[in-house]
Amino acid sequence: SPDENLTQKEDYEKLQVYINENLSKYDKKVLDLYLKGHSYNEIALNLASTSKSVENALTRIRLKLSKYEK
């Protein structure tokens, strides 16, 4: 329904603001690539990093997103 679509859009926009305010540039890049389906190794290669750094970033991201409230 139109009301539901509007609510979803508002929720999405709030989440975007939260991400922009709480994640580092590196974490945002990792999250973007991860959500696009890239593996840890692919993300590491893309960002000239290590798989362990990617793993650590995703752990930080999960922790920060778990604190997100609508």
Short mmCIF file of all heavy atoms in Angstrom, two decimals:
data_model
loop_
_atom_site.label_atom_id
_atom_site.label_comp_id
_atom_site.label_asym_id
_atom_site.label_seq_id
_atom_site.Cartn_x
_atom_site.Cartn_y
_atom_site.Cartn_z
N SER A 1 0.84 -1.18 0.00
CA SER A 1 0.00 0.00 0.00
C SER A 1 0.88 1.24 0.00
O SER A 1 2.04 1.19 0.41
CB SER A 1 -0.92 0.00 1.23
OG SER A 1 -0.20 0.34 2.38
N PRO A 2 0.35 2.36 -0.43
CA PRO A 2 1.15 3.60 -0.46
C PRO A 2 1.69 4.01 0.92
O PRO A 2 2.82 4.48 1.03
CB PRO A 2 0.17 4.64 -0.98
CG PRO A 2 -0.84 3.86 -1.75
CD PRO A 2 -0.94 2.54 -1.05
N ASP A 3 0.88 3.82 1.96
CA ASP A 3 1.34 4.16 3.32
C ASP A 3 2.52 3.29 3.73
O ASP A 3 3.48 3.76 4.34
CB ASP A 3 0.21 4.01 4.33
CG ASP A 3 -0.85 5.09 4.20
OD1 ASP A 3 -0.55 6.14 3.60
OD2 ASP A 3 -1.98 4.88 4.69
N GLU A 4 2.43 2.01 3.40
CA GLU A 4 3.51 1.08 3.73
C GLU A 4 4.78 1.44 2.98
O GLU A 4 5.87 1.41 3.55
CB GLU A 4 3.07 -0.34 3.35
CG GLU A 4 3.54 -1.40 4.30
CD GLU A 4 2.90 -2.74 3.95
OE1 GLU A 4 3.42 -3.40 3.05
OE2 GLU A 4 1.90 -3.09 4.59
N ASN A 5 4.65 1.80 1.71
CA ASN A 5 5.80 2.20 0.91
C ASN A 5 6.47 3.44 1.49
O ASN A 5 7.70 3.53 1.54
CB ASN A 5 5.40 2.46 -0.54
CG ASN A 5 5.08 1.19 -1.29
OD1 ASN A 5 5.47 0.10 -0.89
ND2 ASN A 5 4.34 1.33 -2.38
N LEU A 6 5.67 4.40 1.93
CA LEU A 6 6.21 5.62 2.51
C LEU A 6 6.95 5.31 3.81
O LEU A 6 8.05 5.81 4.04
CB LEU A 6 5.09 6.63 2.76
CG LEU A 6 5.52 7.98 3.35
CD1 LEU A 6 6.48 8.69 2.41
CD2 LEU A 6 4.30 8.85 3.59
N THR A 7 6.38 4.46 4.63
CA THR A 7 7.02 4.08 5.88
C THR A 7 8.34 3.37 5.62
O THR A 7 9.35 3.65 6.28
CB THR A 7 6.09 3.17 6.71
OG1 THR A 7 4.88 3.88 6.99
CG2 THR A 7 6.73 2.76 8.02
N GLN A 8 8.35 2.47 4.63
CA GLN A 8 9.59 1.76 4.29
C GLN A 8 10.64 2.73 3.78
O GLN A 8 11.82 2.62 4.13
CB GLN A 8 9.31 0.69 3.24
CG GLN A 8 8.58 -0.51 3.78
CD GLN A 8 8.25 -1.53 2.71
OE1 GLN A 8 8.37 -1.27 1.52
NE2 GLN A 8 7.82 -2.70 3.14
N LYS A 9 10.23 3.70 2.98
CA LYS A 9 11.18 4.69 2.46
C LYS A 9 11.76 5.52 3.60
O LYS A 9 12.96 5.78 3.65
CB LYS A 9 10.49 5.60 1.44
CG LYS A 9 11.44 6.59 0.80
CD LYS A 9 10.76 7.46 -0.23
CE LYS A 9 11.79 8.42 -0.80
NZ LYS A 9 11.21 9.52 -1.50
N GLU A 10 10.92 5.93 4.54
CA GLU A 10 11.39 6.70 5.69
C GLU A 10 12.34 5.88 6.55
O GLU A 10 13.37 6.39 7.00
CB GLU A 10 10.20 7.19 6.52
CG GLU A 10 9.39 8.27 5.85
CD GLU A 10 8.09 8.59 6.58
OE1 GLU A 10 7.71 7.85 7.52
OE2 GLU A 10 7.44 9.57 6.20
N ASP A 11 12.02 4.61 6.77
CA ASP A 11 12.89 3.73 7.55
C ASP A 11 14.24 3.56 6.86
O ASP A 11 15.29 3.59 7.50
CB ASP A 11 12.25 2.35 7.74
CG ASP A 11 11.07 2.37 8.69
OD1 ASP A 11 10.89 3.37 9.42
OD2 ASP A 11 10.32 1.37 8.70
N TYR A 12 14.22 3.40 5.54
CA TYR A 12 15.45 3.25 4.76
C TYR A 12 16.31 4.51 4.87
O TYR A 12 17.52 4.44 5.07
CB TYR A 12 15.11 2.94 3.30
CG TYR A 12 16.30 2.83 2.40
CD1 TYR A 12 17.12 1.71 2.45
CD2 TYR A 12 16.63 3.85 1.52
CE1 TYR A 12 18.23 1.60 1.63
CE2 TYR A 12 17.74 3.75 0.70
CZ TYR A 12 18.54 2.63 0.76
OH TYR A 12 19.65 2.53 -0.05
N GLU A 13 15.68 5.67 4.77
CA GLU A 13 16.41 6.93 4.85
C GLU A 13 17.02 7.12 6.24
O GLU A 13 18.15 7.59 6.37
CB GLU A 13 15.50 8.10 4.48
CG GLU A 13 15.17 8.14 3.01
CD GLU A 13 14.10 9.14 2.62
OE1 GLU A 13 13.50 9.78 3.51
OE2 GLU A 13 13.87 9.29 1.41
N LYS A 14 16.29 6.74 7.29
CA LYS A 14 16.82 6.82 8.66
C LYS A 14 18.04 5.91 8.81
O LYS A 14 19.03 6.28 9.44
CB LYS A 14 15.76 6.42 9.68
CG LYS A 14 14.75 7.47 9.98
CD LYS A 14 13.82 6.94 11.07
CE LYS A 14 12.68 7.87 11.38
NZ LYS A 14 11.79 7.30 12.42
N LEU A 15 17.95 4.71 8.25
CA LEU A 15 19.06 3.77 8.32
C LEU A 15 20.27 4.33 7.59
O LEU A 15 21.40 4.23 8.08
CB LEU A 15 18.66 2.41 7.76
CG LEU A 15 19.74 1.33 7.76
CD1 LEU A 15 20.27 1.08 9.17
CD2 LEU A 15 19.19 0.05 7.16
N GLN A 16 20.06 4.93 6.44
CA GLN A 16 21.17 5.54 5.69
C GLN A 16 21.85 6.62 6.51
O GLN A 16 23.08 6.70 6.54
CB GLN A 16 20.67 6.14 4.38
CG GLN A 16 20.44 5.13 3.29
CD GLN A 16 20.05 5.80 1.99
OE1 GLN A 16 19.18 6.66 1.95
NE2 GLN A 16 20.72 5.41 0.92
N VAL A 17 21.08 7.46 7.17
CA VAL A 17 21.65 8.52 8.02
C VAL A 17 22.46 7.88 9.15
O VAL A 17 23.58 8.31 9.43
CB VAL A 17 20.54 9.44 8.57
CG1 VAL A 17 21.07 10.35 9.66
CG2 VAL A 17 19.91 10.25 7.45
N TYR A 18 21.89 6.87 9.78
CA TYR A 18 22.58 6.19 10.87
C TYR A 18 23.92 5.62 10.39
O TYR A 18 24.95 5.78 11.05
CB TYR A 18 21.70 5.09 11.45
CG TYR A 18 22.35 4.34 12.60
CD1 TYR A 18 22.28 4.85 13.89
CD2 TYR A 18 23.02 3.16 12.39
CE1 TYR A 18 22.88 4.19 14.96
CE2 TYR A 18 23.63 2.47 13.44
CZ TYR A 18 23.55 3.00 14.71
OH TYR A 18 24.15 2.34 15.75
N ILE A 19 23.91 4.97 9.25
CA ILE A 19 25.13 4.39 8.69
C ILE A 19 26.15 5.48 8.40
O ILE A 19 27.32 5.36 8.76
CB ILE A 19 24.81 3.56 7.42
CG1 ILE A 19 24.12 2.26 7.82
CG2 ILE A 19 26.07 3.29 6.60
CD1 ILE A 19 23.56 1.47 6.67
N ASN A 20 25.72 6.56 7.78
CA ASN A 20 26.64 7.65 7.45
C ASN A 20 27.24 8.30 8.69
O ASN A 20 28.39 8.74 8.67
CB ASN A 20 25.96 8.70 6.58
CG ASN A 20 25.79 8.24 5.16
OD1 ASN A 20 26.58 7.45 4.64
ND2 ASN A 20 24.74 8.69 4.52
N GLU A 21 26.48 8.34 9.76
CA GLU A 21 26.96 8.98 10.99
C GLU A 21 27.79 8.05 11.87
O GLU A 21 28.58 8.53 12.67
CB GLU A 21 25.77 9.50 11.80
CG GLU A 21 25.08 10.68 11.17
CD GLU A 21 23.86 11.15 11.94
OE1 GLU A 21 23.43 10.45 12.90
OE2 GLU A 21 23.31 12.19 11.58
N ASN A 22 27.64 6.74 11.73
CA ASN A 22 28.25 5.81 12.67
C ASN A 22 29.31 4.88 12.10
O ASN A 22 30.03 4.24 12.87
CB ASN A 22 27.16 4.98 13.36
CG ASN A 22 26.32 5.82 14.28
OD1 ASN A 22 26.72 6.13 15.38
ND2 ASN A 22 25.15 6.24 13.80
N LEU A 23 29.39 4.78 10.79
CA LEU A 23 30.39 3.90 10.19
C LEU A 23 31.50 4.74 9.56
O LEU A 23 31.25 5.81 9.01
CB LEU A 23 29.76 3.02 9.11
CG LEU A 23 29.23 1.66 9.53
CD1 LEU A 23 28.20 1.77 10.62
CD2 LEU A 23 28.68 0.89 8.35
N SER A 24 32.71 4.22 9.64
CA SER A 24 33.85 4.88 9.00
C SER A 24 33.75 4.71 7.48
O SER A 24 32.96 3.88 6.99
CB SER A 24 35.15 4.26 9.50
OG SER A 24 35.27 2.93 9.00
N LYS A 25 34.57 5.45 6.77
CA LYS A 25 34.59 5.32 5.30
C LYS A 25 34.93 3.89 4.90
O LYS A 25 34.32 3.32 4.01
CB LYS A 25 35.59 6.29 4.68
CG LYS A 25 35.16 7.72 4.66
CD LYS A 25 36.19 8.59 3.96
CE LYS A 25 35.77 10.04 3.98
NZ LYS A 25 36.74 10.89 3.27
N TYR A 26 35.92 3.33 5.57
CA TYR A 26 36.33 1.96 5.28
C TYR A 26 35.19 0.99 5.53
O TYR A 26 34.89 0.14 4.69
CB TYR A 26 37.55 1.58 6.13
CG TYR A 26 38.03 0.17 5.90
CD1 TYR A 26 38.78 -0.16 4.77
CD2 TYR A 26 37.73 -0.85 6.80
CE1 TYR A 26 39.23 -1.45 4.55
CE2 TYR A 26 38.17 -2.15 6.60
CZ TYR A 26 38.91 -2.44 5.47
OH TYR A 26 39.35 -3.73 5.24
N ASP A 27 34.53 1.14 6.68
CA ASP A 27 33.42 0.25 7.01
C ASP A 27 32.30 0.37 5.99
O ASP A 27 31.69 -0.64 5.60
CB ASP A 27 32.88 0.54 8.42
CG ASP A 27 33.84 0.11 9.52
OD1 ASP A 27 34.85 -0.56 9.22
OD2 ASP A 27 33.57 0.44 10.69
N LYS A 28 32.01 1.58 5.53
CA LYS A 28 30.95 1.76 4.52
C LYS A 28 31.33 1.09 3.21
O LYS A 28 30.47 0.47 2.56
CB LYS A 28 30.67 3.25 4.31
CG LYS A 28 29.91 3.87 5.46
CD LYS A 28 29.51 5.29 5.15
CE LYS A 28 30.50 6.24 5.75
NZ LYS A 28 30.11 7.64 5.69
N LYS A 29 32.60 1.16 2.83
CA LYS A 29 33.04 0.49 1.60
C LYS A 29 32.91 -1.02 1.75
O LYS A 29 32.46 -1.71 0.82
CB LYS A 29 34.48 0.88 1.27
CG LYS A 29 34.64 2.30 0.80
CD LYS A 29 36.11 2.63 0.57
CE LYS A 29 36.29 4.09 0.22
NZ LYS A 29 37.73 4.43 0.07
N VAL A 30 33.33 -1.53 2.90
CA VAL A 30 33.23 -2.97 3.16
C VAL A 30 31.77 -3.41 3.11
O VAL A 30 31.42 -4.39 2.45
CB VAL A 30 33.86 -3.35 4.52
CG1 VAL A 30 33.51 -4.78 4.91
CG2 VAL A 30 35.37 -3.16 4.48
N LEU A 31 30.90 -2.67 3.78
CA LEU A 31 29.48 -3.01 3.80
C LEU A 31 28.90 -3.00 2.40
O LEU A 31 28.17 -3.92 2.01
CB LEU A 31 28.72 -2.03 4.70
CG LEU A 31 27.21 -2.24 4.80
CD1 LEU A 31 26.89 -3.63 5.35
CD2 LEU A 31 26.58 -1.15 5.66
N ASP A 32 29.23 -1.99 1.62
CA ASP A 32 28.71 -1.89 0.25
C ASP A 32 29.11 -3.11 -0.57
O ASP A 32 28.27 -3.73 -1.23
CB ASP A 32 29.22 -0.60 -0.40
CG ASP A 32 28.72 -0.45 -1.82
OD1 ASP A 32 27.49 -0.47 -2.03
OD2 ASP A 32 29.56 -0.32 -2.75
N LEU A 33 30.37 -3.47 -0.52
CA LEU A 33 30.84 -4.61 -1.30
C LEU A 33 30.26 -5.93 -0.78
O LEU A 33 29.90 -6.81 -1.56
CB LEU A 33 32.37 -4.66 -1.29
CG LEU A 33 33.06 -3.52 -2.05
CD1 LEU A 33 34.55 -3.50 -1.75
CD2 LEU A 33 32.80 -3.64 -3.55
N TYR A 34 30.14 -6.03 0.54
CA TYR A 34 29.56 -7.24 1.14
C TYR A 34 28.11 -7.41 0.71
O TYR A 34 27.68 -8.51 0.35
CB TYR A 34 29.69 -7.16 2.66
CG TYR A 34 29.15 -8.37 3.37
CD1 TYR A 34 29.86 -9.56 3.39
CD2 TYR A 34 27.92 -8.33 4.02
CE1 TYR A 34 29.37 -10.69 4.05
CE2 TYR A 34 27.42 -9.45 4.68
CZ TYR A 34 28.14 -10.62 4.68
OH TYR A 34 27.64 -11.72 5.33
N LEU A 35 27.36 -6.31 0.72
CA LEU A 35 25.95 -6.38 0.33
C LEU A 35 25.78 -6.67 -1.17
O LEU A 35 24.73 -7.15 -1.59
CB LEU A 35 25.23 -5.08 0.70
CG LEU A 35 25.06 -4.83 2.20
CD1 LEU A 35 24.44 -3.46 2.45
CD2 LEU A 35 24.22 -5.93 2.84
N LYS A 36 26.81 -6.38 -1.93
CA LYS A 36 26.79 -6.70 -3.37
C LYS A 36 27.18 -8.15 -3.63
O LYS A 36 27.21 -8.58 -4.77
CB LYS A 36 27.71 -5.76 -4.14
CG LYS A 36 27.16 -4.35 -4.21
CD LYS A 36 28.10 -3.41 -4.95
CE LYS A 36 27.50 -2.01 -5.01
NZ LYS A 36 28.44 -1.04 -5.59
N GLY A 37 27.49 -8.89 -2.55
CA GLY A 37 27.75 -10.31 -2.69
C GLY A 37 29.20 -10.71 -2.81
O GLY A 37 29.50 -11.87 -3.10
N HIS A 38 30.11 -9.79 -2.57
CA HIS A 38 31.54 -10.11 -2.66
C HIS A 38 32.00 -10.91 -1.44
O HIS A 38 31.50 -10.71 -0.34
CB HIS A 38 32.38 -8.83 -2.79
CG HIS A 38 32.15 -8.09 -4.07
ND1 HIS A 38 32.79 -8.42 -5.23
CD2 HIS A 38 31.34 -7.04 -4.35
CE1 HIS A 38 32.39 -7.60 -6.20
NE2 HIS A 38 31.49 -6.76 -5.67
N SER A 39 32.97 -11.77 -1.67
CA SER A 39 33.54 -12.55 -0.57
C SER A 39 34.52 -11.67 0.21
O SER A 39 34.90 -10.59 -0.24
CB SER A 39 34.30 -13.76 -1.12
OG SER A 39 35.47 -13.33 -1.80
N TYR A 40 34.93 -12.16 1.38
CA TYR A 40 35.91 -11.42 2.19
C TYR A 40 37.18 -11.18 1.38
O TYR A 40 37.75 -10.09 1.41
CB TYR A 40 36.27 -12.21 3.45
CG TYR A 40 35.22 -12.23 4.54
CD1 TYR A 40 33.88 -12.03 4.28
CD2 TYR A 40 35.58 -12.47 5.85
CE1 TYR A 40 32.93 -12.07 5.29
CE2 TYR A 40 34.64 -12.51 6.87
CZ TYR A 40 33.32 -12.30 6.58
OH TYR A 40 32.38 -12.33 7.58
N ASN A 41 37.65 -12.22 0.66
CA ASN A 41 38.87 -12.08 -0.14
C ASN A 41 38.70 -11.06 -1.25
O ASN A 41 39.62 -10.27 -1.51
CB ASN A 41 39.28 -13.43 -0.73
CG ASN A 41 39.87 -14.36 0.31
OD1 ASN A 41 40.39 -13.91 1.33
ND2 ASN A 41 39.77 -15.65 0.06
N GLU A 42 37.56 -11.07 -1.92
CA GLU A 42 37.32 -10.10 -2.99
C GLU A 42 37.29 -8.68 -2.45
O GLU A 42 37.84 -7.76 -3.06
CB GLU A 42 36.00 -10.42 -3.70
CG GLU A 42 36.03 -11.68 -4.52
CD GLU A 42 34.65 -12.10 -5.01
OE1 GLU A 42 33.63 -11.78 -4.36
OE2 GLU A 42 34.60 -12.77 -6.05
N ILE A 43 36.65 -8.50 -1.29
CA ILE A 43 36.59 -7.17 -0.68
C ILE A 43 38.00 -6.73 -0.30
O ILE A 43 38.39 -5.58 -0.57
CB ILE A 43 35.67 -7.19 0.57
CG1 ILE A 43 34.23 -7.50 0.16
CG2 ILE A 43 35.75 -5.86 1.30
CD1 ILE A 43 33.29 -7.81 1.33
N ALA A 44 38.77 -7.63 0.29
CA ALA A 44 40.14 -7.30 0.69
C ALA A 44 40.97 -6.88 -0.52
O ALA A 44 41.69 -5.87 -0.47
CB ALA A 44 40.78 -8.49 1.39
N LEU A 45 40.87 -7.61 -1.60
CA LEU A 45 41.62 -7.26 -2.81
C LEU A 45 41.17 -5.91 -3.36
O LEU A 45 42.01 -5.08 -3.74
CB LEU A 45 41.43 -8.34 -3.89
CG LEU A 45 42.18 -9.64 -3.67
CD1 LEU A 45 41.75 -10.68 -4.72
CD2 LEU A 45 43.68 -9.42 -3.72
N ASN A 46 39.88 -5.68 -3.38
CA ASN A 46 39.33 -4.43 -3.90
C ASN A 46 39.80 -3.24 -3.08
O ASN A 46 40.02 -2.16 -3.64
CB ASN A 46 37.80 -4.52 -3.91
CG ASN A 46 37.15 -3.38 -4.64
OD1 ASN A 46 37.17 -2.25 -4.18
ND2 ASN A 46 36.56 -3.69 -5.79
N LEU A 47 39.94 -3.42 -1.77
CA LEU A 47 40.30 -2.30 -0.89
C LEU A 47 41.78 -2.32 -0.49
O LEU A 47 42.18 -1.55 0.39
CB LEU A 47 39.41 -2.33 0.37
CG LEU A 47 37.91 -2.21 0.13
CD1 LEU A 47 37.15 -2.30 1.44
CD2 LEU A 47 37.59 -0.91 -0.59
N ALA A 48 42.56 -3.16 -1.13
CA ALA A 48 43.99 -3.29 -0.81
C ALA A 48 44.17 -3.52 0.69
O ALA A 48 44.92 -2.81 1.37
CB ALA A 48 44.77 -2.07 -1.30
N SER A 49 43.45 -4.51 1.18
CA SER A 49 43.43 -4.80 2.61
C SER A 49 43.63 -6.29 2.81
O SER A 49 44.05 -6.98 1.88
CB SER A 49 42.07 -4.35 3.16
OG SER A 49 42.02 -4.45 4.55
N THR A 50 43.34 -6.77 3.99
CA THR A 50 43.43 -8.21 4.27
C THR A 50 42.05 -8.76 4.60
O THR A 50 41.15 -8.01 5.00
CB THR A 50 44.36 -8.49 5.47
OG1 THR A 50 43.77 -7.93 6.65
CG2 THR A 50 45.75 -7.91 5.25
N SER A 51 41.91 -10.06 4.47
CA SER A 51 40.64 -10.70 4.82
C SER A 51 40.32 -10.49 6.29
O SER A 51 39.17 -10.32 6.67
CB SER A 51 40.70 -12.20 4.52
OG SER A 51 40.75 -12.42 3.14
N LYS A 52 41.35 -10.48 7.13
CA LYS A 52 41.15 -10.28 8.56
C LYS A 52 40.62 -8.87 8.84
O LYS A 52 39.73 -8.69 9.68
CB LYS A 52 42.47 -10.51 9.32
CG LYS A 52 42.32 -10.43 10.82
CD LYS A 52 41.41 -11.53 11.34
CE LYS A 52 41.32 -11.49 12.85
NZ LYS A 52 40.31 -12.38 13.37
N SER A 53 41.11 -7.87 8.12
CA SER A 53 40.61 -6.51 8.28
C SER A 53 39.14 -6.41 7.86
O SER A 53 38.35 -5.72 8.50
CB SER A 53 41.44 -5.53 7.45
OG SER A 53 42.73 -5.42 7.97
N VAL A 54 38.80 -7.12 6.80
CA VAL A 54 37.42 -7.16 6.33
C VAL A 54 36.54 -7.83 7.38
O VAL A 54 35.46 -7.34 7.72
CB VAL A 54 37.31 -7.87 4.96
CG1 VAL A 54 35.86 -8.11 4.59
CG2 VAL A 54 38.03 -7.06 3.89
N GLU A 55 37.02 -8.95 7.91
CA GLU A 55 36.27 -9.66 8.95
C GLU A 55 36.04 -8.76 10.17
O GLU A 55 34.94 -8.69 10.71
CB GLU A 55 37.03 -10.92 9.36
CG GLU A 55 36.33 -11.74 10.42
CD GLU A 55 37.13 -12.98 10.82
OE1 GLU A 55 38.11 -13.33 10.12
OE2 GLU A 55 36.77 -13.57 11.84
N ASN A 56 37.09 -8.06 10.59
CA ASN A 56 36.98 -7.14 11.73
C ASN A 56 36.00 -6.01 11.43
O ASN A 56 35.20 -5.63 12.30
CB ASN A 56 38.34 -6.57 12.10
CG ASN A 56 39.26 -7.59 12.71
OD1 ASN A 56 38.83 -8.63 13.19
ND2 ASN A 56 40.56 -7.31 12.67
N ALA A 57 36.04 -5.48 10.22
CA ALA A 57 35.12 -4.41 9.83
C ALA A 57 33.68 -4.90 9.89
O ALA A 57 32.80 -4.20 10.40
CB ALA A 57 35.46 -3.89 8.44
N LEU A 58 33.43 -6.09 9.38
CA LEU A 58 32.07 -6.62 9.39
C LEU A 58 31.58 -6.89 10.81
O LEU A 58 30.40 -6.71 11.11
CB LEU A 58 31.98 -7.88 8.52
CG LEU A 58 32.03 -7.58 7.01
CD1 LEU A 58 32.22 -8.87 6.22
CD2 LEU A 58 30.76 -6.87 6.56
N THR A 59 32.49 -7.27 11.69
CA THR A 59 32.13 -7.45 13.10
C THR A 59 31.72 -6.10 13.70
O THR A 59 30.70 -6.00 14.40
CB THR A 59 33.30 -8.07 13.88
OG1 THR A 59 33.58 -9.35 13.32
CG2 THR A 59 32.96 -8.22 15.36
N ARG A 60 32.51 -5.06 13.43
CA ARG A 60 32.18 -3.70 13.92
C ARG A 60 30.84 -3.24 13.36
O ARG A 60 30.01 -2.68 14.07
CB ARG A 60 33.25 -2.69 13.50
CG ARG A 60 34.50 -2.68 14.29
CD ARG A 60 35.36 -1.46 13.97
NE ARG A 60 35.66 -1.28 12.56
CZ ARG A 60 36.65 -1.87 11.90
NH1 ARG A 60 37.46 -2.70 12.54
NH2 ARG A 60 36.86 -1.64 10.62
N ILE A 61 30.64 -3.48 12.07
CA ILE A 61 29.40 -3.06 11.40
C ILE A 61 28.20 -3.76 12.04
O ILE A 61 27.20 -3.11 12.34
CB ILE A 61 29.48 -3.36 9.89
CG1 ILE A 61 30.52 -2.45 9.23
CG2 ILE A 61 28.12 -3.22 9.23
CD1 ILE A 61 30.95 -2.91 7.84
N ARG A 62 28.30 -5.06 12.24
CA ARG A 62 27.19 -5.80 12.87
C ARG A 62 26.89 -5.25 14.26
O ARG A 62 25.72 -5.10 14.63
CB ARG A 62 27.53 -7.28 12.94
CG ARG A 62 27.43 -7.99 11.62
CD ARG A 62 27.67 -9.49 11.77
NE ARG A 62 27.74 -10.13 10.48
CZ ARG A 62 28.88 -10.48 9.87
NH1 ARG A 62 30.04 -10.28 10.46
NH2 ARG A 62 28.85 -11.04 8.68
N LEU A 63 27.93 -4.96 15.02
CA LEU A 63 27.75 -4.43 16.36
C LEU A 63 27.05 -3.07 16.32
O LEU A 63 26.08 -2.83 17.04
CB LEU A 63 29.10 -4.30 17.07
CG LEU A 63 29.06 -3.72 18.48
CD1 LEU A 63 28.27 -4.63 19.42
CD2 LEU A 63 30.47 -3.52 18.99
N LYS A 64 27.51 -2.21 15.45
CA LYS A 64 26.90 -0.87 15.35
C LYS A 64 25.47 -0.95 14.84
O LYS A 64 24.59 -0.25 15.33
CB LYS A 64 27.75 0.03 14.45
CG LYS A 64 29.07 0.42 15.09
CD LYS A 64 29.92 1.25 14.17
CE LYS A 64 31.26 1.58 14.81
NZ LYS A 64 32.11 2.38 13.93
N LEU A 65 25.22 -1.82 13.86
CA LEU A 65 23.86 -1.93 13.32
C LEU A 65 22.91 -2.59 14.32
O LEU A 65 21.72 -2.31 14.29
CB LEU A 65 23.87 -2.70 12.00
CG LEU A 65 24.50 -1.98 10.83
CD1 LEU A 65 24.45 -2.84 9.58
CD2 LEU A 65 23.83 -0.64 10.56
N SER A 66 23.45 -3.41 15.21
CA SER A 66 22.59 -4.02 16.23
C SER A 66 22.09 -2.97 17.22
O SER A 66 21.08 -3.20 17.88
CB SER A 66 23.34 -5.14 16.97
OG SER A 66 24.32 -4.59 17.84
N LYS A 67 22.77 -1.84 17.30
CA LYS A 67 22.37 -0.76 18.20
C LYS A 67 21.40 0.22 17.53
O LYS A 67 20.90 1.15 18.18
CB LYS A 67 23.60 -0.01 18.70
CG LYS A 67 24.50 -0.88 19.54
CD LYS A 67 25.74 -0.13 19.96
CE LYS A 67 26.64 -1.06 20.77
NZ LYS A 67 27.88 -0.38 21.18
N TYR A 68 21.16 0.02 16.25
CA TYR A 68 20.26 0.91 15.50
C TYR A 68 18.82 0.72 15.96
O TYR A 68 18.34 -0.39 16.12
CB TYR A 68 20.36 0.63 14.00
CG TYR A 68 19.34 1.36 13.17
CD1 TYR A 68 19.41 2.72 12.98
CD2 TYR A 68 18.28 0.67 12.59
CE1 TYR A 68 18.49 3.40 12.23
CE2 TYR A 68 17.32 1.34 11.83
CZ TYR A 68 17.43 2.70 11.66
OH TYR A 68 16.50 3.38 10.91
N GLU A 69 18.16 1.85 16.21
CA GLU A 69 16.75 1.83 16.58
C GLU A 69 15.99 2.68 15.58
O GLU A 69 16.38 3.80 15.30
CB GLU A 69 16.56 2.37 18.00
CG GLU A 69 17.22 1.53 19.05
CD GLU A 69 17.06 2.10 20.44
OE1 GLU A 69 16.18 2.94 20.64
OE2 GLU A 69 17.82 1.69 21.32
N LYS A 70 14.88 2.15 15.10
CA LYS A 70 14.05 2.90 14.14
C LYS A 70 13.46 4.13 14.77
O LYS A 70 13.12 4.19 15.89
CB LYS A 70 12.92 2.02 13.62
CG LYS A 70 13.39 0.94 12.70
CD LYS A 70 12.20 0.19 12.18
CE LYS A 70 12.63 -0.95 11.28
NZ LYS A 70 11.52 -1.67 10.75
#
